[in-house]
Amino acid sequence: MTIGIVAGALGALGLVLASPHPFLALGAVLLLVGALIVVTATVAGIVRHQLRRQAGFVTRTVERGMLDALPPGAVLEHLLDRVYGPSPSNRGLVTAVLGGEGAAHDGSDLTISDHTEVDLQLSWIDETTYRMVMEQRYRFRSRVPSALFVIFATSDYELRDRIIAGCRVPLFDMWFVGADQADDYFDDSVESMRDTVHLGLHYVDAADEKHAVAARAPQQHVEEVQLSDWGRYLTFFRTDLPAGQRLDRREYMDKLRIFAFSLQPMAETSSPIATVQRLSVRYTMLQRLGSGYCYWEAPFPCHMERMSFDTTRMTGADLQFHLKPFTFGAPASPVPWKTGDPVVEVPVGNWILPGQGVALMWRAA
């Protein structure tokens, strides 16, 4: 079309030169030239739009291809290095956000619960002690290839804040028992908790058959991890780390105990457990009333649907309670201290990363 207009313009120019009415012919030429400019601009705009569309499509395709080709950990670490600046600390953030190292292309080394529910029930025993029953239910976004559940129990505040970041076991929980080293409260409390553990699971066996196992006590299949093997479960106890990054295990002999629960004996058939789809964990712990709080902390990324705190049985003391989430989207102003409904439902409806959770605090009314 553009070529035809150019030819028409040239022909019109010839008419101008040969016409006895040059001004009329000149007007026709200007009209044709104007049409030529408009058409050319329109065609150029269309071409530029199509080029931008194709360039965007190619860019998105290349980006998708690159993201699909790289392990999740490498993608996120590169992004954090670009945004925050290169730092060894970024690796810990990558692990927390992804729920694992992210070295597998298919994400099979990540533990992420996309549906999580937690219930805590508190019962008053005497002026110094209360009993807490905690039940946690996880549904994993991807099947977790593990038949081992590990519990870390500690009375050390430093370890409490480092275990979740330093753990490389896919399925685990952490118990914190505030205790004075002058007595045996830590060991006594841990022993009583270990005897109350109940585990339930939905799993897929090696033949890709699905099974469900009701919660029950697997105490006969629990093994306490020896001091020499702590490095297999917690990275900061590894012997190949340089000085300054490695903790001395001997300093925590009386402050840390690790229990490994084998899930395989709970299987319905002789076929080995290949992956875990759901996991429920329930146990009872004795805690000191004077601590003034209890809490739940996410061991791996969890989309928290709801939590509940039941203080119906805390009848031996006149207490006021205060609920404080330490999560994304937590209330800007603190929930007031009150003695109202003894059962509090917390509809979180948000992602909770390791190190985040919800605390229940109390004081004398």
Side-chain angles (χ1 to χ4, degrees):
M1 183 175 67
T2 304
I3 296 175
I5 293 176
V6 172
L10 293 175
L13 180 60
L15 289 175
V16 169
L17 297 176
S19 173
H21 305 286
F23 292 105
L24 181 61
L26 182 60
V29 170
L30 292 176
L31 181 62
L32 288 172
V33 171
L36 173 62
I37 294 173
V38 171
V39 171
T40 302
T42 302
V43 172
I46 294 173
V47 170
R48 282 196 300 270
H49 176 70
Q50 292 297 327
L51 287 176
R52 282 197 296 266
R53 280 190 60 190
Q54 293 302 320
F57 173 76
V58 171
T59 301
R60 289 191 299 271
T61 302
V62 171
E63 288 177 347
R64 269 199 310 270
M66 292 178 62
L67 292 177
D68 291 342
L70 294 173
V75 174
L76 185 54
E77 188 167 13
H78 175 73
L79 176 62
L80 293 179
D81 287 346
R82 176 184 172 186
V83 176
Y84 292 162
S87 170
S89 302
N90 292 348
R91 169 45 53 181
L93 186 57
V94 168
T95 303
V97 173
L98 294 181
E101 293 282 357
H105 285 75
D106 60 355
S108 59
D109 60 341
L110 305 181
T111 307
I112 301 172
S113 173
D114 61 3
H115 187 102
T116 311
E117 297 181 352
V118 178
D119 296 306
L120 289 85
Q121 183 185 83
L122 280 61
S123 302
W124 187 84
I125 296 179
D126 55 36
E127 290 78 5
T128 61
T129 310
Y130 73 95
R131 177 184 297 109
M132 181 174 70
V133 179
M134 179 180 291
E135 184 171 356
Q136 307 164 74
R137 294 176 293 278
Y138 304 104
R139 184 186 70 189
F140 300 111
R141 182 177 181 274
S142 301
R143 299 176 181 178
V144 179
S146 177
L148 186 70
F149 178 72
V150 177
I151 290 179
F152 302 96
T154 182
S155 62
D156 186 85
Y157 287 91
E158 180 187 7
L159 287 182
R160 180 194 64 179
D161 298 333
R162 297 187 63 166
I163 282 176
I164 290 180
C167 176
R168 291 299 178 265
V169 181
L171 302 176
F172 70 97
D173 195 10
M174 186 192 69
W175 294 340
F176 175 72
V177 181
D180 188 339
Q181 297 184 30
D183 56 32
D184 297 326
Y185 183 79
F186 172 65
D187 286 325
D188 292 343
S189 181
V190 170
E191 289 296 333
S192 66
M193 284 188 284
R194 183 178 68 169
D195 293 339
T196 65
V197 172
H198 282 66
L199 301 176
L201 66 151
H202 288 66
Y203 72 93
V204 178
D205 63 20
D208 207 32
E209 296 289 335
K210 297 181 179 180
H211 305 271
V213 178
R216 61 172 181 259
Q219 278 78 12
Q220 64 272 29
H221 310 299
V222 61
E223 175 185 356
E224 183 160 6
V225 178
Q226 300 303 310
L227 182 70
S228 58
D229 292 328
W230 281 6
R232 293 171 49 196
Y233 298 86
L234 295 171
T235 56
F236 45 77
F237 286 131
R238 282 168 38 190
T239 56
D240 59 342
L241 292 179
Q245 298 182 24
R246 181 178 68 249
L247 297 183
D248 188 348
R249 288 172 287 187
R250 294 170 298 180
E251 296 182 5
Y252 301 94
M253 293 175 56
D254 300 326
K255 307 174 186 177
L256 175 66
R257 298 179 68 181
I258 304 175
F259 302 98
F261 292 79
S262 174
L263 302 179
Q264 183 57 51
M266 299 178 64
E268 294 182 321
T269 65
S270 58
S271 181
I273 295 175
T275 56
V276 176
Q277 293 179 310
R278 295 173 181 251
L279 178 69
S280 67
V281 184
R282 179 167 59 86
Y283 53 84
T284 301
M285 62 170 58
L286 298 178
Q287 295 277 36
R288 288 187 167 165
L289 193 65
S291 65
Y293 71 94
C294 66
Y295 69 97
W296 175 84
E297 184 178 5
F300 32 73
C302 296
H303 192 274
M304 176 60 67
E305 304 302 325
R306 52 166 293 279
M307 291 186 66
S308 72
F309 291 86
D310 184 351
T311 59
T312 306
R313 295 172 176 81
M314 293 288 279
T315 56
D318 188 11
L319 300 174
Q320 290 180 327
F321 294 94
H322 174 77
L323 192 65
K324 184 58 181 176
F326 46 102
T327 67
F328 295 127
S333 58
V335 179
W337 294 88
K338 59 182 181 179
T339 56
D341 191 347
V343 180
V344 178
E345 291 277 346
V346 187
V348 181
N350 207 342
W351 283 102
I352 298 181
L353 298 181
Q356 298 180 329
V358 180
L360 180 70
M361 298 175 282
W362 54 84
R363 68 184 182 187

